[in-house]
Amino acid sequence: MPKISYSTDAPAFARFRAHGTIRLEMDGHRLRTTATGPFNAEALAAVAELEAQVFARMKAAGKWVEILEFRHNLLATAEALEAFARHVERFRSKGLSPLGSAVVIDPSLEGEAIIRPQLAAAYAAAGWPCAFFTNMADAEAWADSLLDVTEPAR
């Protein structure tokens, strides 16, 4: 599968005054998601539209994993966190979630101590396998361990 990128910065989402940018890059059996915060509910609404398309394409291509990296700031509004929990539950219940999500959060990011536990709780409530890491190499190794394919990281 060729490398394809999507972003909440696209003109189609101009109607949303989203705070936070979320970029999705389909990379073989990996979906590389880069989330640059802080985030509001409008950013989650925009990414939900993108992920509906992207998750369906990833699932159609076979087994897949997500590597989600947070950058700049992890803070999010209460509405954004509620939207995230609904979003995870909805995709999981529709069978569109990955085998697991490797979440990379630098411990020095603003909001890490507050937001990371809430993200973990949302994933756990949905039954969506995830693990948290402080570096990309460990996240990629964990994500790749979920796949039955051998594909070098890029």
Side-chain angles (χ1 to χ4, degrees):
M1 175 184 302
K3 201 180 243 191
I4 302 171
S5 296
Y6 299 86
S7 176
T8 56
D9 280 343
F13 297 109
R15 68 185 182 279
F16 297 113
R17 289 196 279 209
H19 290 99
T21 300
I22 302 149
R23 179 180 169 86
L24 308 167
E25 185 176 281
M26 297 167 60
D27 183 13
H29 295 280
R30 295 177 199 87
L31 175 63
R32 295 181 181 276
T33 303
T34 306
T36 305
F39 307 97
N40 65 4
E42 290 78 9
L44 272 288
V47 79
E49 285 187 41
L50 290 174
E51 286 183 337
Q53 301 167 43
V54 173
F55 284 17
R57 289 185 72 175
M58 294 298 291
K59 181 178 173 144
K63 293 179 180 181
W64 65 286
V65 293
E66 178 184 37
I67 300 169
L68 166 58
E69 180 182 19
F70 284 96
R71 294 182 179 169
H72 185 64
N73 187 312
L74 195 56
L75 290 174
T77 64
E79 294 83 7
L81 292 168
E82 291 166 7
F84 179 80
R86 286 191 309 273
H87 165 90
V88 169
E89 176 58 39
R90 183 174 57 251
F91 283 113
R92 182 74 173 159
S93 69
K94 290 182 177 183
L96 293 174
S97 59
L99 295 174
S101 292
V103 182
V104 181
I105 302 173
D106 182 317
S108 69
L109 284 184
E110 185 175 3
E112 186 276 339
I114 299 165
I115 304 299
R116 186 181 52 78
Q118 294 180 61
L119 297 175
Y123 281 120
W128 182 314
C130 79
F132 289 84
F133 301 91
T134 59
N135 66 76
M136 185 59 70
D138 290 345
E140 288 174 339
W142 180 85
D144 288 347
S145 75
L146 301 177
L147 294 168
D148 290 335
V149 298
T150 303
E151 186 176 335
R154 294 182 189 177

